[in-house]
Amino acid sequence: MPSVTYKCPNCDAPLVFDAGTQGFYCDFCKSAFTKEELDSKAGTETQSQTASAQGEEGHAACYSCPSCGAQILAEETTAATTCYYCHNPVILSGRLEGEMEPELVIPFQVKKEEAEKAFAQWVKKKWFVPAPFKQESEVQALTGVYFPFWLADCKVEGGLEASATRVNSWRSGDYIYTKTEYYSVRRAGSVFFDNLVRNALKKSNRQLIEGVQPFETQKTQVFSLPYLSGFQAEARDIDAKEYAGEIAAQANEYAQRMMRDTIDSYTTVQITGNSLHLAESHFRYALFPVWTLTYRGPKGTVYYYALNGQTGKVFGRLPLSYPRLGILLAAVAVPLFLLALLGGFLL
Amino acid sequence: MTKRICGLSLLLVFLLALLPGVLAAGADTQQRVFDFAALLTESEAAALEEEIAALSGELGVDLAVATTDDNPQSAQEYADDFYDAHGFGVGGDGTGALLLIDMENREYYISTKGQMISRLTDSRIDNILDEMEPDMKAGDYSQAIAIFLDQVRGYVANDPPALPQAGEFDRVFDGAGIFSDGQPAVLQSRIDALCAQKGIDLAVVTADYVGEMTAREYAQQFYQAQGMGKDGALLLLDMDHRDVYIATFGQMASILSGSALDETVAAVIADAEAGGYYQAALTFLSKTEPLVEKAQLRAERTSPGRILLYAGGSVLVGLLVCLLVMARYRSRGKGYTYPFRENGKLELTCREDRFLSERIDRRYSPPPPPPSSGGGHGGGGGSFGGGSSTHTSHSGSTHGGGGRGF
């Protein structure tokens, strides 16, 4: 499994993508490079190829760390990670090649410190979170992960036919007049929808992924491997074909509604014919950034926290400390009960 | 020398002549009628003596009647002094009473001593004087004196004081006769209503003689004697000592207690002092009712069933709060919906609105008539003053009594 680590041209230490500068940063010699500089500098990658007997694309595979040579087992969809032993960023380029290469990426805009701060703030005011969750160590466990998505661009063609009426009513003397005008209405044309988003990773937490949306899809960049350096990434395992029907239905419905909106100024409208259909659809594979933190509770339930790596939107499910909740229950119920008793006695 | 002996012997004879008179005066402890004003005939006086003697023996008290038309002092002073001077009275405290008819001051006065002071209270004396008044004014003194004796017998013979028997009303006992006609009936009906509603027993009692008992003892005895309910209260207007006492039994003891009881007693006393005894009874009833009501409400509000309700309710509210908190701890996935109207691009190639036909309906509907103008088209207790007033006579002994002019 070919794996790649990007190295600093000056000192050979690993380079990571810096969300603050949107460039690349060497922690060792503190040099910073823009993307263009990196592209122009040859030999900044350290590649290592490991032919693994079992290793096949798309399955759990062994790879060797380009920096230290350690053999690491990666999960099926992991596309970028950190070496367990030497902590250098490792990009499993084999998983992002060919048809598996993403077209687009939204690089991390929110820095790790900002994410940590946002998380700390979110947790601070929650009294009913068990103490261990709030500890520093948990906060450190915030990981930046690129999740795979499908972006669909659709074109819907066709039209609507409808019968419509316009009714007016007025009074003249002792009579009320009602005028009804009958119309036949037709609309036809094309409706374009860009960047309909669909999750492309089976194992991802559906709620988490949907909770941190939306991403500003117009701000995508052309994909390039170095962006992943220093972060984790997951490659897709859901095919675009699986979404075809769903996308078509969604696009058709939107198109109908938009067309219907243009039939205005009538008192009643009745759709008599609908010939809208998905004419074209084009799926693009993209990686979007999410800061994630998972916490395994005492009973094994998983709690998560996600922060949109581009917009900063927060979504999460916090563990609840039932003992503390119990205290709340008592704190509310007992005074109420006493108050009621007192009221009974005194009133 | 013979002259001296003669003088002395004359004096001796003179004294000896007087002696019987003096002795008679001092030794005549039996006489009780002293008609110096000559209001009675001899036979009347003699009959009176006998009557008094009998009555005194019967009652165990000393009685006397005196009339005078030569009295430089007040009737009271004369009466007291007369009593003391003649040494009337039985027992160590000189228990007895004297009726004086003072023609000089046109006053008739009753003086009491010893136990008769408490037996014949001021109000009782007033009653007696009332009874005698018509005859006194008419000049029928012997009749007036007869009435006096009769009244005294009536009062003194009650020993111990008999608790009034159940009469027309079983919860209103006007022993002292201070309610006028119709008032007891009103009180009775109010009490009946209260009893029916609240299940507590009430009674209003007035008494003009409670004897040696305190108001408290009298009230309690009365309550038990009448066999009143387990929970109840009794208002006693003791006209003898002019005391108000409210006795409470059973649950009423806790309902009507403390500051509530004090307040009620104070209100009743205020009415009684003003002389409105009937009002006082009404006040008692109207103050008691809301207290009982409140107490019963409170009992209802703190019954076990209710307490369970409170507990359940508070736990429910607590749970709700917890649920709210729990909801807050999960971000509401606001389900991202694709903003298709903003993102979608519509390119219409055909936009046709073809007019087909038109139709006009006419309906006769006269305007409604204008609306016509204006018309158009929702037991503690207290004393209220009095008692048996006493004063000290010239000889230093204590007398009670009262009198009035005629």
Side-chain angles (χ1 to χ4, degrees):
Chain A
M1 169 73 63
S3 51
V4 167
T5 300
Y6 288 91
K7 297 290 182 78
C8 170
N10 292 348
C11 69
D12 231 24
L15 272 181
V16 293
F17 178 74
D18 180 7
T21 62
Q22 294 285 293
F24 296 89
Y25 177 71
C26 167
D27 208 12
F28 220 60
C29 66
K30 314 289 184 207
S31 1
F33 303 91
T34 63
K35 178 134 192 338
E36 295 74 29
E37 286 169 350
L38 197 68
D39 285 340
S40 61
K41 291 228 188 315
T44 53
E45 309 168 7
T46 306
Q47 304 232 5
S48 90
Q49 307 259 352
T50 313
S52 163
Q54 316 104 315
E56 275 172 28
E57 257 186 51
H59 295 290
C62 242
Y63 68 93
S64 69
C65 170
S67 309
C68 68
Q71 297 284 355
I72 300 168
L73 200 63
E75 275 192 46
E76 273 192 48
T77 49
T78 305
T81 182
T82 320
C83 173
Y84 217 90
Y85 298 99
C86 67
H87 297 290
N88 282 341
V90 179
I91 299 175
L92 305 182
S93 45
R95 290 211 166 123
L96 299 171
E97 283 172 344
E99 65 162 25
M100 290 298 284
E101 187 179 353
E103 288 176 54
L104 304 165
V105 66
I106 298 178
F108 270 89
Q109 309 292 316
V110 175
K111 297 170 68 168
K112 183 159 196 208
E113 297 83 45
E114 291 166 15
E116 283 169 354
K117 216 163 49 162
F119 176 71
Q121 262 195 334
W122 188 60
V123 167
K124 194 157 66 143
K125 280 182 277 175
K126 310 276 192 289
W127 302 113
F128 300 97
V129 171
F133 189 72
K134 292 195 192 181
Q135 278 167 11
E136 275 300 310
S137 53
E138 290 302 324
V139 181
Q140 296 294 337
L142 212 57
T143 318
V145 181
Y146 282 102
F147 281 90
F149 290 90
W150 283 114
L151 290 182
D153 303 324
C154 306
K155 175 179 173 189
V156 176
E157 281 179 351
L160 290 178
E161 282 171 16
S163 321
T165 65
R166 196 177 288 143
V167 179
N168 273 339
S169 170
W170 67 94
R171 165 181 284 282
S172 172
D174 281 348
Y175 293 91
I176 295 181
Y177 292 86
T178 308
K179 178 169 85 168
T180 310
E181 292 171 318
Y182 294 92
Y183 286 84
S184 160
V185 177
R186 225 168 85 78
R187 298 281 183 275
S190 315
V191 193
F192 297 90
F193 298 104
D194 283 345
N195 295 334
L196 288 152
V197 177
R198 284 292 184 278
N199 166 49
L201 187 65
K202 285 203 189 92
K203 74 174 183 193
S204 68
N205 190 315
R206 198 55 63 87
Q207 284 179 312
L208 193 151
I209 291 298
E210 280 173 24
V212 293
Q213 288 196 38
F215 289 93
E216 290 167 5
T217 47
Q218 60 276 29
K219 295 207 188 126
T220 51
Q221 312 261 3
V222 174
F223 175 76
S224 179
L225 270 180
Y227 284 122
L228 305 183
S229 186
F231 301 97
Q232 281 191 12
E234 297 287 323
R236 72 163 196 266
D237 59 354
I238 299 180
D239 216 23
K241 285 199 283 291
E242 296 182 37
Y243 284 117
E246 203 182 302
I247 291 286
Q250 192 178 12
N252 279 343
E253 200 203 314
Y254 291 156
Q256 177 179 350
R257 289 215 225 158
M258 286 189 76
M259 277 206 178
R260 170 70 183 82
D261 283 349
T262 63
I263 308 177
D264 45 18
S265 82
Y266 292 104
T267 312
T268 71
V269 173
Q270 200 176 353
I271 305 282
T272 51
N274 179 347
S275 62
L276 290 165
H277 59 277
L278 186 67
E280 285 169 29
S281 68
H282 177 57
F283 286 86
R284 289 177 296 166
Y285 177 25
L287 291 179
F288 291 161
V290 181
W291 286 106
T292 60
L293 185 150
T294 52
Y295 172 82
R296 196 164 287 277
K299 294 209 189 78
T301 36
V302 177
Y303 301 95
Y304 51 82
Y305 165 85
L307 187 144
N308 187 317
Q310 178 193 29
T311 64
K313 181 180 173 197
V314 163
F315 183 83
R317 182 178 159 216
L318 279 175
L320 277 170
S321 158
Y322 282 109
R324 292 200 191 187
L325 259 191
I327 294 176
L328 173 71
L329 179 70
V332 169
V334 168
L336 260 184
F337 177 64
L338 286 175
L339 224 89
L341 265 185
L342 230 86
F345 270 119
L346 294 177
L347 287 172
Chain B
M1 220 228 358
T2 354
K3 264 197 199 159
R4 200 185 287 155
I5 294 171
C6 255
L8 276 173
S9 53
L10 260 173
L11 189 63
L12 202 63
V13 170
F14 183 63
L15 283 173
L16 278 172
L18 279 180
L19 195 58
V22 173
L23 279 178
D28 188 356
T29 51
Q30 297 311 306
Q31 184 184 4
R32 288 295 182 264
V33 180
F34 303 86
D35 189 15
F36 299 130
L39 304 176
L40 307 169
T41 64
E42 275 203 28
S43 55
E44 281 176 339
L48 198 55
E49 281 281 10
E50 275 183 33
E51 214 181 312
I52 287 179
L55 191 59
S56 300
E58 181 189 327
L59 299 179
V61 300
D62 205 353
L63 298 171
V65 174
T67 71
T68 178
D69 55 5
D70 174 18
N71 180 20
Q73 311 163 313
S74 71
Q76 174 181 294
E77 287 170 334
Y78 187 95
D80 291 344
D81 291 347
F82 194 89
Y83 190 100
D84 295 335
H86 283 80
F88 295 141
V90 297
D93 52 4
T95 296
L98 167 77
L99 169 69
L100 171 71
I101 301 179
D102 182 349
M103 299 308 285
E104 165 107 22
N105 295 320
R106 300 267 327 159
E107 255 189 67
Y108 56 117
Y109 187 86
I110 299 171
S111 171
T112 55
K113 190 159 174 206
Q115 289 185 23
M116 283 301 272
I117 293 177
S118 54
R119 284 265 176 106
L120 287 186
T121 60
D122 287 353
S123 76
R124 282 184 170 176
I125 289 178
D126 269 342
N127 283 347
I128 299 174
L129 295 173
D130 281 342
E131 295 293 323
M132 293 169 65
E133 190 164 339
D135 289 307
M136 289 299 297
K137 287 212 152 111
D140 190 353
Y141 303 112
S142 99
Q143 181 58 30
I145 295 169
I147 291 176
F148 165 71
L149 293 176
D150 203 29
Q151 289 285 307
V152 170
R153 172 192 287 115
Y155 285 126
V156 178
N158 291 333
D159 188 9
L163 301 172
Q165 299 307 307
E168 188 184 339
F169 305 105
D170 60 348
R171 288 291 177 265
V172 182
F173 303 88
D174 190 11
I178 53 179
F179 293 142
S180 41
D181 274 340
Q183 289 177 343
V186 174
L187 290 175
Q188 177 72 34
S189 65
R190 255 190 92 162
I191 291 178
D192 285 337
L194 267 175
C195 290
Q197 280 174 18
K198 311 273 184 248
I200 46 149
D201 218 347
L202 295 171
V204 173
V205 179
T206 72
D208 60 2
Y209 180 58
V210 298
E212 299 303 317
M213 292 194 266
T214 62
R216 177 207 201 90
E217 289 165 352
Y218 185 89
Q220 286 180 333
Q221 272 199 26
F222 187 95
Y223 193 93
Q224 271 135 21
Q226 291 300 317
M228 288 175 67
K230 174 169 72 75
D231 307 312
L234 182 150
L235 169 70
L236 170 68
L237 293 174
D238 177 359
M239 303 309 287
D240 187 354
H241 303 102
R242 295 192 78 84
D243 261 346
V244 166
Y245 188 75
I246 296 178
T248 54
F249 303 88
Q251 289 200 6
M252 284 301 284
S254 51
I255 293 176
L256 202 59
S257 64
S259 59
L261 180 61
D262 291 339
E263 221 182 284
T264 309
V265 167
V268 170
I269 287 177
D271 283 328
E273 268 177 355
Y277 305 117
Y278 174 62
Q279 187 57 44
L282 283 177
T283 303
F284 165 67
L285 292 177
S286 56
K287 279 227 171 262
T288 307
E289 183 171 359
L291 285 171
V292 174
E293 175 117 20
K294 238 168 104 173
Q296 288 184 333
L297 257 181
R298 175 178 308 160
E300 186 188 314
R301 284 216 181 98
T302 54
S303 60
R306 276 293 180 101
I307 291 186
L308 238 103
L309 191 74
Y310 296 150
S314 351
V315 169
L316 218 78
V317 173
L319 276 172
L320 244 125
V321 173
C322 286
L323 280 172
L324 267 166
V325 168
M326 286 166 78
R328 244 176 34 120
Y329 275 48
R330 301 174 185 220
S331 315
R332 256 155 265 85
K334 251 179 317 215
Y336 164 69
T337 41
Y338 181 76
F340 65 90
R341 287 208 167 90
E342 288 83 17
N343 284 10
K345 231 173 20 193
L346 174 67
E347 285 172 7
L348 281 179
T349 53
C350 160
R351 189 188 175 117
E352 252 179 50
D353 295 81
R354 214 156 28 97
F355 174 73
L356 295 174
S357 63
E358 170 187 289
R359 146 188 158 157
I360 299 183
D361 295 300
R362 191 179 73 164
R363 188 172 96 241
Y364 178 67
S365 161
S372 51
S373 60
H377 285 263
S383 165
F384 51 92
S388 280
S389 48
T390 60
H391 52 272
T392 339
S393 68
H394 290 157
S395 56
S397 53
T398 312
H399 284 260
R404 65 173 71 156
F406 59 96

